[in-house]
Amino acid sequence: MSKYHQRRGFSFSSCFATLFGIILLPIAIIGLYATEKFALSDYLTKEFAKNNYIEASADTIDPDKEGKLLLIHGNATTTDTLVDNTFNQKVDNSLSLNRKVEMYQWEETKHKHKISSGKHKRTETTYSYDKRWCEYTINSSHFYRVSEHENPNVMYHLSSTFFPKNVKVGAFKVNSKDLKDLGSAESINIDETTVNLPDSAIILNNKIYYNIYLEATCRGLKSQKKQEIKNENASNTVDPESNTQLEGSFDKDTINTIEKEKSKYNEKYPNIGDVRISFTKHPVCEVTVLAKQSGDELVPYKTEYNNIYEFVYGNVGFDEVYKQKDLGMTIIVWVVRIFAYLAIGFSLLMISFSIEKIGCMIGFSLPLAIINGIIAFIWLPHKHGLGITSLVLMVIGLIITIASIIKISSENNSSRNNYY
């Protein structure tokens, strides 16, 4: 076989590369198409809102504006008292009550290193372990070194958020969950005289602290004592899951032992299994709402594209309502476009693995044409400037691709003739 045919022949690696390229290419194209369609829907929704919204007062409900898209500014208020029944923590005049529960645990990180030894290369895996506060249990049973880095397998309490049932913006009712995270969260003071503490807990710097292992011991002892009392047919039973204080539940020696362990809690030097609990709130505040008037409520305004239902902190204009959302969408779209360009270029290069020069050229220019062709196809019907720009870039990409293929094919034919 001639050298020319050897160079053009397919090896196992070229077949694998071609197959990989064939799989990756449609994934990149479909991902780009879906993202552009989503971006277009978002744009058309904003344009619809811009052309149809009406500024209105939040203080009065105007029957003539029923079913209209309103932009209103007003104070979000509630008369409800939020209560975390587990700890009896209460707060008034707030849009949310947030309980944050964290446990101090081991975390494993895997590191892979490539090591060369003469002509041989191998991958070596090492593991490092760090302690950190986490809002969920980290399963240590799958760690590489389990015995030295064992985590508790349970958390008695979990993070949770409580919302008021009745919230209004001016005279309008709204769903309280739609107002979550507006503004800055504020810390809530823990009142030692009213809060329900686990038996092994103390309060340090406005946080509840206890150790999961010590709490498990307390709960086990309470459960055991309850069973003993039950067996004696006593009338004064103790609920093992309640947050009653130690007195009356344990003997003095047990109480002293637990109190001694509680005194060892240290914020700066926590131990594995330590739990800390803090409370925050989002106080009532002024908001801007873009939504539909439906009776005395503000509800989503349905369009053929997306629903319009926006809440923004503070008194802002229409453009500010969409500013942050537009920024997030722009970032997502450009990340996908760049990824699609690289993925399509790599796919075409793999598909044309056996034609190196042509593969390198179309891996640069043809993806430019494909990507901009998709963008132009989606945006041109709506007379958006992006569609026209993309159409021009598509044509440029196609011209470069066709010219490159013609030039390289001509060079290959000339080299083949010279060879023979």
Side-chain angles (χ1 to χ4, degrees):
M1 183 182 292
S2 67
K3 292 182 179 179
Y4 175 79
H5 285 94
Q6 286 178 350
R7 184 172 64 85
R8 293 295 299 262
F10 280 96
S11 64
F12 174 79
S13 59
S14 66
C15 289
F16 177 80
T18 301
L19 178 63
F20 182 78
I22 292 173
I23 294 173
L24 182 60
L25 182 61
I27 293 175
I29 292 175
I30 293 172
L32 176 66
Y33 180 84
T35 303
E36 293 296 333
K37 288 289 287 185
F38 185 77
L40 175 63
S41 295
D42 197 66
Y43 167 77
L44 293 175
T45 302
K46 179 185 174 182
E47 288 299 300
F48 177 90
K50 186 176 182 180
N51 295 323
N52 291 276
Y53 82 90
I54 301 171
E55 288 207 41
S57 170
D59 298 328
T60 57
I61 299 174
D62 185 352
D64 292 338
K65 293 184 173 64
E66 178 68 16
K68 303 292 185 180
L69 179 63
L70 305 184
L71 179 70
I72 66 172
H73 315 284
N75 291 318
T77 59
T78 180
T79 57
D80 295 350
T81 296
L82 298 178
V83 183
D84 181 344
N85 290 317
T86 301
F87 295 93
N88 196 38
Q89 181 67 53
K90 301 178 181 180
V91 66
D92 293 317
N93 300 319
S94 293
L95 301 176
S96 69
L97 167 60
N98 314 294
R99 179 215 301 166
K100 185 177 182 180
V101 183
E102 303 167 285
M103 185 162 66
Y104 202 59
Q105 303 173 75
W106 286 106
E107 182 179 51
E108 179 185 76
T109 304
K110 184 185 294 187
H111 308 275
K112 290 188 177 182
H113 313 274
K114 291 185 178 180
I115 300 176
S116 299
S117 179
K119 295 182 179 181
H120 301 285
K121 293 183 179 180
R122 62 186 178 88
T123 300
E124 182 180 82
T125 302
T126 59
Y127 301 85
S128 62
Y129 296 86
D130 299 290
K131 300 174 183 178
R132 73 179 183 95
W133 292 100
C134 187
E135 292 187 65
Y136 54 87
T137 55
I138 299 176
N139 187 355
S140 60
S141 63
H142 301 299
F143 284 0
Y144 183 73
R145 293 196 295 272
V146 179
S147 59
E148 304 168 32
H149 310 93
E150 188 173 356
N151 287 327
N153 57 10
V154 65
M155 288 180 69
Y156 289 127
H157 304 98
L158 298 174
S159 297
S160 186
T161 300
F162 306 90
F163 299 99
K165 292 182 179 180
N166 304 297
V167 177
K168 286 187 174 183
V169 176
F172 294 92
K173 295 178 182 178
V174 296
N175 189 331
S176 59
K177 292 185 179 180
D178 296 318
L179 295 167
K180 66 179 181 179
D181 300 330
L182 288 184
S184 300
E186 296 180 1
S187 178
I188 301 175
N189 290 327
I190 299 175
D191 187 347
E192 297 185 26
T193 62
T194 59
V195 70
N196 289 334
L197 292 178
D199 289 322
S200 62
I202 62 173
I203 298 175
L204 293 173
N205 291 332
N206 208 36
K207 293 183 180 68
I208 297 173
Y209 282 86
Y210 66 84
N211 184 275
I212 198 75
Y213 298 115
L214 181 58
E215 179 64 15
T217 300
C218 290
R219 293 189 178 210
L221 290 173
K222 290 181 78 171
S223 179
Q224 181 181 350
K225 187 171 183 65
K226 179 183 177 181
Q227 187 62 43
E228 291 174 356
I229 295 174
K230 183 178 180 180
N231 293 339
E232 294 172 0
N233 295 320
S235 60
N236 184 24
T237 59
V238 180
D239 184 356
E241 296 300 324
S242 69
N243 285 326
T244 56
Q245 299 302 310
L246 295 177
E247 288 76 16
S249 299
F250 307 108
D251 57 51
K252 290 184 178 180
D253 289 340
T254 302
I255 293 173
N256 291 336
T257 300
I258 294 174
E259 291 296 330
K260 184 178 179 180
E261 291 299 317
K262 287 164 61 174
S263 67
K264 295 179 181 179
Y265 292 149
N266 190 317
E267 287 182 286
K268 294 183 179 179
Y269 305 102
N271 295 311
I272 294 299
D274 279 359
V275 175
R276 69 181 182 190
I277 303 171
S278 59
F279 297 92
T280 58
K281 65 179 180 179
H282 279 87
V284 294
C285 59
E286 187 175 19
V287 299
T288 298
V289 186
L290 183 64
K292 183 177 81 170
Q293 176 179 317
S294 177
D296 62 348
E297 295 182 78
L298 293 174
V299 299
Y301 189 103
K302 296 182 179 180
T303 73
E304 61 178 303
Y305 315 111
N306 297 322
N307 289 344
I308 303 173
Y309 195 54
E310 303 293 338
F311 289 81
V312 180
Y313 178 73
N315 186 332
V316 301
F318 176 85
D319 291 336
E320 288 294 319
V321 169
Y322 276 93
K323 185 177 181 180
Q324 186 173 357
K325 192 173 183 180
D326 287 347
L327 177 61
M329 177 58 65
T330 300
I331 293 173
I332 292 172
V333 168
W334 275 105
V335 168
V336 173
R337 286 172 181 170
I338 293 171
F339 170 79
Y341 178 82
L342 296 175
I344 292 174
F346 184 74
S347 300
L348 294 174
L349 185 61
M350 292 297 99
I351 293 172
S352 57
F353 187 83
S354 61
I355 316 173
E356 295 179 2
K357 290 184 179 179
I358 293 180
C360 290
M361 289 305 300
I362 67 174
F364 162 74
S365 59
L366 191 53
L368 183 68
I370 293 174
I371 289 174
N372 283 284
I374 294 172
I375 297 174
F377 175 78
I378 293 173
W379 289 88
L380 264 179
H382 302 278
K383 299 179 181 180
H384 192 279
L386 178 61
I388 298 174
T389 303
S390 298
L391 182 63
V392 172
L393 291 174
M394 180 193 72
V395 172
I396 292 173
L398 285 175
I399 292 174
I400 295 174
T401 300
I402 294 171
S404 300
I405 292 175
I406 293 173
K407 180 180 179 181
I408 295 171
S409 297
S410 176
E411 291 176 353
N412 286 342
N413 290 332
S414 177
S415 298
R416 190 184 308 171
N417 293 333
N418 291 336
Y419 178 81
Y420 287 111

